[in-house]
Amino acid sequence: MKTFHVRDYGILSGEKDQMNMLRLRGILEECRKNEEPAEILFEEGTYHFYPDYAFERTLCISNHDEDTIKRIAFDLTDCAHLTVRGKNSDFIFHTELLAFYFEHSEDIILEGFSINYERPAYSEGSIVSVNGPSMQLRIDKERFPYYVAHQRIFFTGENFCEEIPFWMEVDPEKGEPSEGPYEMGFDIRPDSNYGNWKELEEGLVEVTLDGAGDMKSFDGYTPGHIIVLRHHPRNYPATYVTSSKDVTFRDVKIYHCAGMGVTAQFTENVTLDRVQVTGKAGSGHWFSLAADATHFVYCRGLIHIKDCLFERQLDDAVNIHGIYARVKKVLSEKELLVELVHHQQKGVPVGKSGDHFSFVRYESLLSMGESRTEEIITLNKDFTYVKFAEKLPEGIKEKDSIENVSYVPNVLIEGCIVQNNRARGFLLTSAGNVVVKNNYFHTSGTAVLISGDAADWFESGATKHIVVENNRFDDCDHVKCWGQGVIQVDTPVREVEKDQKLHQYLEIRDNEFTSADGELLNVKNVQTVVFAENKVTAPGSEETWVKLQDVGEYRDK
């Protein structure tokens, strides 16, 4: 194996040198030309990366805000058999910079370092007082720069100036989202919540509710609690993998980014081993990532997540799904025009020629058949032309969808800790074999959710075989806006077929549940459900713990 020591190229620990990016580009170009396995080695220390001389690409990243040109630090496009290795190294990225990007990459390992950003994309304040429609917040202006002008508050960073669309309350004693009002949104539309801001003194601001929204008072918020001020768009994940194969993250810590931690699209075999998503000790802020810890869209092979920590991120720990592309027009007996509907999926490829697709009925989300594609043409970020090898199923119409079934992963998640985050734990909508075992959950919402829809997020699809075993669920789903049960299957459909269910098999066995309200299992539209040999500490009995609707078979053994 050839080793590229970054110190030999002038990349030195502790130096805030904008030329580091140019030196890094030189190393990566050598790696692309190298025909033998190689590693890029960073000695222990802190390394800074700036956008000035970074790679630049136009990227459309699923489940992020609509994408534009991105600056990239480690562009691993067309790399193979490469390890980026640190010796407990810290990587600090400045401004809006995508830390790692993979495209057409194979056999890549990231190992032994942390990812963080100089200025976090969110800010924090502590509640000083609440008086009806007014609230006073103490904000550390040095750590979270801001200014107030025209009764509006603006937060600034190395290259941004943003207002607040959302905020979230956190209980600092519990170290988790509050069970009270929790979160709210601000908007300048006349029919929504709006806040008028003024600065009473340096670092002390007051916001007073205005507008016609449903929030008329801050009563219920608790002085001393933290408000996470979510003022930055979700536009930069820490790592983005697409059209790649055999990618491993090992002993990597992700402290912060303006999007998701690990995002993968159209990739085969992804392993996360001892990855930690958490806030950096001593950073002075509660949150870690701005969105999901991990997100997988149209992957295949095996997604293996082992011995990882996911905490304090502002969305789910794991989300695995495909995309429903909605039928806009039926052009002929073999041709469709389809549309990407949700704004955070615009520009994501539907697939490529030769992929197999399922035709999905709008009312039930059941498949009407499958066909191989002969031709796919992306017309623009919204619309795609698709020609199939066989005739379309009879009765296909506008509002039905197609789903790429050439990308269906098997999933193994084991030995992980999910705690103190906003929203939920694992969202698992894969038709592969899914096993969730030996994990610990303490989530504000549902711990394990099987969902998907073709009307809102357009995240597919139907599941076939999911086993949840030997996990510990510790007081999950205590904030009800993020779930209706510790484990929930709820795929919104307009029709449920009597003899055919959307999801096939869900087994929940040998788990430990501790719950204050006893809402453990809430399941709809599943053929077979097994809930057996679980240890439960909760009010009620199995009759109240388990809620079933449109379930073909239920077994407790």
Side-chain angles (χ1 to χ4, degrees):
M1 176 183 289
K2 183 173 182 178
T3 299
F4 295 86
H5 294 272
V6 298
R7 64 170 183 261
D8 296 340
Y9 293 79
I11 301 176
L12 304 177
S13 170
E15 294 193 1
K16 293 187 175 182
D17 189 346
Q18 294 180 359
M19 292 298 291
N20 279 349
M21 188 61 67
L22 204 57
R23 296 166 184 140
L24 178 60
R25 290 185 71 145
I27 296 172
L28 291 171
E29 288 304 323
E30 287 193 46
C31 290
R32 267 183 274 274
K33 297 174 184 176
N34 184 61
E35 295 183 355
E36 62 177 307
E39 69 172 359
I40 302 173
L41 183 61
F42 290 80
E43 299 295 336
E44 185 173 2
T46 302
Y47 299 85
H48 291 262
F49 299 96
Y50 294 83
D52 301 69
Y53 311 116
F55 297 90
E56 194 171 74
R57 296 180 183 273
T58 300
L59 302 178
C60 296
I61 306 173
S62 181
N63 291 79
H64 282 72
D65 292 323
E66 188 169 331
D67 292 294
T68 56
I69 296 174
K70 305 292 188 189
R71 294 285 177 97
I72 303 164
F74 290 79
D75 188 338
L76 305 181
T77 299
D78 296 325
C79 288
H81 315 301
L82 175 65
T83 299
V84 180
R85 191 188 314 277
K87 293 185 176 180
N88 196 28
S89 311
D90 296 315
F91 295 170
I92 307 296
F93 299 91
H94 292 257
T95 76
E96 294 180 324
L97 187 61
L98 174 54
F100 286 87
Y101 173 63
F102 309 67
E103 185 175 12
H104 305 306
S105 306
E106 184 172 352
D107 185 23
I108 306 294
I109 300 173
L110 304 188
E111 182 173 18
F113 56 82
S114 68
I115 295 172
N116 205 355
Y117 284 75
E118 181 76 7
R119 164 62 161 112
Y122 291 168
S123 300
E124 287 184 4
S126 60
I127 301 175
V128 175
S129 64
V130 174
N131 184 15
S134 296
M135 177 189 294
Q136 292 185 6
L137 291 172
R138 179 72 65 182
I139 303 173
D140 187 331
K141 206 168 186 176
E142 183 175 345
R143 287 192 296 122
F144 306 117
Y146 72 89
Y147 65 89
V148 176
H150 314 297
Q151 295 186 302
R152 298 157 71 180
I153 190 166
F154 300 86
F155 288 87
T156 60
E158 290 180 298
N159 71 331
F160 68 78
C161 179
E162 303 283 354
E163 292 190 80
I164 303 173
F166 304 102
W167 78 18
M168 183 183 76
E169 182 184 12
V170 173
D171 184 335
E173 290 187 7
K174 293 182 178 180
E176 63 187 29
S178 168
E179 297 181 27
Y182 192 54
E183 62 182 354
M184 67 173 290
F186 292 94
D187 204 323
I188 60 174
R189 294 175 301 174
D191 60 345
S192 65
N193 301 317
Y194 187 71
N196 293 321
W197 294 80
K198 60 182 177 180
E199 187 171 39
L200 304 178
E201 61 183 56
E202 185 81 2
L204 181 64
V205 298
E206 182 177 76
V207 55
T208 300
L209 287 170
D210 198 357
D214 56 358
M215 284 290 292
K216 304 299 182 185
S217 171
F218 288 122
D219 291 343
Y221 283 88
T222 303
H225 279 195
I226 294 170
I227 295 291
V228 177
L229 301 154
R230 304 175 61 195
H231 50 70
H232 200 284
R234 181 197 290 187
N235 58 353
Y236 272 83
T239 66
Y240 172 44
V241 187
T242 186
S243 302
S244 295
K245 183 178 180 181
D246 299 333
V247 175
T248 298
F249 299 80
R250 182 179 297 120
D251 295 319
V252 173
K253 297 177 182 177
I254 308 177
Y255 293 129
H256 182 67
C257 67
M260 299 175 180
V262 175
T263 303
Q265 287 175 192
F266 291 101
T267 293
E268 182 175 353
N269 301 330
V270 182
T271 300
L272 277 67
D273 186 7
R274 299 189 300 273
V275 170
Q276 294 186 32
V277 169
T278 183
K280 183 174 175 61
S283 66
H285 53 78
W286 172 84
F287 55 84
S288 57
L289 306 188
D292 296 4
T294 68
H295 207 104
F296 304 88
V297 182
Y298 275 149
C299 291
R300 64 185 176 192
L302 176 64
I303 297 173
H304 188 190
I305 303 175
K306 179 182 179 183
D307 298 333
C308 294
L309 170 65
F310 304 122
E311 66 176 357
R312 291 163 39 190
Q313 72 275 2
L314 295 182
D315 219 324
D316 313 312
V318 176
N319 193 344
I320 301 170
H321 63 86
I323 295 175
Y324 288 128
R326 186 170 67 185
V327 175
K328 183 67 175 180
K329 289 186 180 297
V330 179
L331 301 176
S332 75
E333 62 181 13
K334 291 186 177 181
E335 297 170 293
L336 291 175
L337 190 65
V338 298
E339 177 184 13
L340 294 170
V341 181
H342 194 276
H343 71 277
Q344 289 185 339
Q345 294 170 354
K346 298 292 188 181
V348 175
V350 171
K352 61 182 185 298
S353 297
D355 287 350
H356 283 78
F357 281 78
S358 173
F359 302 98
V360 178
R361 188 166 176 261
Y362 170 68
E363 291 80 5
S364 65
L365 298 186
L366 294 174
S367 177
M368 297 180 281
E370 297 183 5
S371 181
R372 179 180 58 82
T373 55
E374 285 189 345
E375 186 177 15
I376 293 182
I377 301 174
T378 300
L379 304 180
N380 50 46
K381 67 181 182 181
D382 297 306
F383 298 103
T384 300
Y385 164 84
V386 187
K387 182 178 181 181
F388 294 92
E390 296 85 30
K391 289 184 179 181
L392 301 172
E394 185 177 350
I396 192 168
K397 61 188 184 304
E398 295 179 13
K399 284 196 172 183
D400 290 335
S401 297
I402 63 171
E403 177 189 10
N404 192 328
V405 293
S406 289
Y407 289 87
V408 174
N410 295 319
V411 179
L412 173 58
I413 309 177
E414 56 181 335
C416 297
I417 297 172
V418 184
Q419 61 187 10
N420 299 346
N421 63 297
R422 174 184 176 273
R424 299 151 300 204
F426 301 159
L427 280 63
L428 307 171
T429 46
S430 171
N433 187 50
V434 179
V435 177
V436 176
K437 65 179 184 180
N438 302 324
N439 303 286
Y440 171 84
F441 297 87
H442 176 66
T443 55
S444 54
T446 293
V448 176
L449 175 65
I450 302 161
S451 187
D453 71 87
D456 184 10
W457 281 92
F458 287 81
E459 295 180 355
S460 61
T463 65
K464 292 183 179 179
H465 194 276
I466 297 179
V467 175
V468 180
E469 60 183 356
N470 294 309
N471 302 282
R472 182 182 173 194
F473 298 95
D474 180 14
D475 190 27
C476 299
D477 190 38
H478 53 270
V479 179
K480 290 302 180 183
C481 65
W482 286 111
Q484 299 298 320
V486 176
I487 298 174
Q488 183 177 0
V489 183
D490 185 12
T491 304
V493 294
R494 286 146 188 81
E495 295 177 5
V496 177
E497 301 286 343
K498 181 178 180 181
D499 299 322
Q500 186 179 4
K501 307 304 180 188
L502 182 62
H503 304 288
Q504 299 309 305
Y505 183 84
L506 173 63
E507 180 177 328
I508 303 163
R509 185 181 296 274
D510 293 321
N511 300 283
E512 181 179 347
F513 293 87
T514 302
S515 170
D517 61 16
E519 295 183 5
L520 305 186
L521 185 61
N522 191 335
V523 174
K524 300 177 183 178
N525 205 356
V526 180
Q527 179 58 41
T528 301
V529 177
V530 180
F531 187 82
E533 300 178 26
N534 297 290
K535 180 181 178 182
V536 177
T537 302
S541 63
E542 187 170 336
E543 291 184 356
T544 57
W545 297 338
V546 177
K547 296 180 180 179
L548 305 175
Q549 182 178 335
D550 297 314
V551 169
E553 176 190 18
Y554 175 74
R555 303 201 304 259
D556 59 5
K557 294 182 181 179

